[in-house]
Amino acid sequence: IINVTMGGYVFFPFMSWYIASKHALEGWSDCLRVETQPFGIKVALIQPGAIQTKFSDAAMENTHHERTSTTTSVYKASFDAFTKRFFTDGMKRFGSPPSVVSDAIIKASESSNPKRRYMIGFTARPMLFLRNWLGDAVFDRFMLSQCDGS
């Protein structure tokens, strides 16, 4: 069983509904791995960093409508700044090609003893490092800095 998520470990502002589902998927994968182990069933989690797909465009389009449907939305300036810095500019500069995900899925599926987690893509390790080693307060400040419209 192979699941793909990074959102269970790293969060993004304005996407709480999506990140909540990814936390659930990561927790489910961890439990399932232990529960199915006695039957020889392996569970691997692919944790990609930024991947250059149209997914972020679609997610941001839906979120943009929800968060900024009026010009007086309290989220509008922060959302626009975050979207541009993180998803538009960031994906173009730091996003990995989708093939890194398919390569990891193939590697995990062909292994007789797959890793529990595969951190893949250019940004996966740096984001996990920021989250783990610098702590919540620093990671929160980093995310907030991406929402600054100045």
Side-chain angles (χ1 to χ4, degrees):
I1 299 170
I2 300 171
N3 291 318
V4 181
T5 182
M6 182 74 158
Y9 220 75
V10 175
F11 67 87
F12 304 102
F14 309 109
M15 296 185 68
S16 55
W17 51 271
Y18 177 75
I19 297 301
S21 71
K22 293 305 188 171
H23 275 277
L25 181 59
E26 184 158 343
W28 179 66
S29 297
D30 289 337
C31 291
L32 193 60
R33 183 181 60 251
V34 173
E35 293 168 357
T36 61
Q37 189 275 332
F39 306 105
I41 299 169
K42 311 285 186 180
V43 178
L45 192 60
I46 309 294
Q47 295 179 296
I51 303 297
Q52 294 174 342
T53 67
K54 294 185 187 273
F55 169 77
S56 61
D57 295 339
M60 289 298 101
E61 179 77 24
N62 287 337
T63 303
H64 185 269
H65 179 70
E66 290 175 22
R67 301 283 192 229
T68 64
S69 58
T70 70
T71 56
T72 59
S73 170
V74 296
Y75 291 111
K76 184 165 179 32
S78 294
F79 178 86
D80 289 345
F82 179 78
T83 302
K84 180 171 180 355
R85 285 188 179 144
F86 216 82
F87 285 101
T88 304
D89 298 342
M91 285 291 184
K92 287 178 185 169
R93 290 178 60 201
F94 303 112
S96 297
S99 60
V100 300
V101 177
S102 58
D103 291 347
I105 291 170
I106 291 168
K107 184 176 182 176
S109 66
E110 291 179 345
S111 174
S112 60
N113 192 25
K115 296 179 187 178
R116 289 168 177 80
R117 286 177 166 69
Y118 292 81
M119 284 184 277
I120 59 167
F122 182 72
T123 60
R125 289 190 190 281
M127 291 299 288
L128 290 171
F129 173 81
L130 284 172
R131 182 84 166 115
N132 280 333
W133 296 103
L134 301 179
D136 288 341
V138 173
F139 192 78
D140 287 356
R141 282 195 299 273
F142 168 72
M143 284 298 179
L144 283 171
S145 75
Q146 302 304 299
C147 298
D148 182 6
S150 56

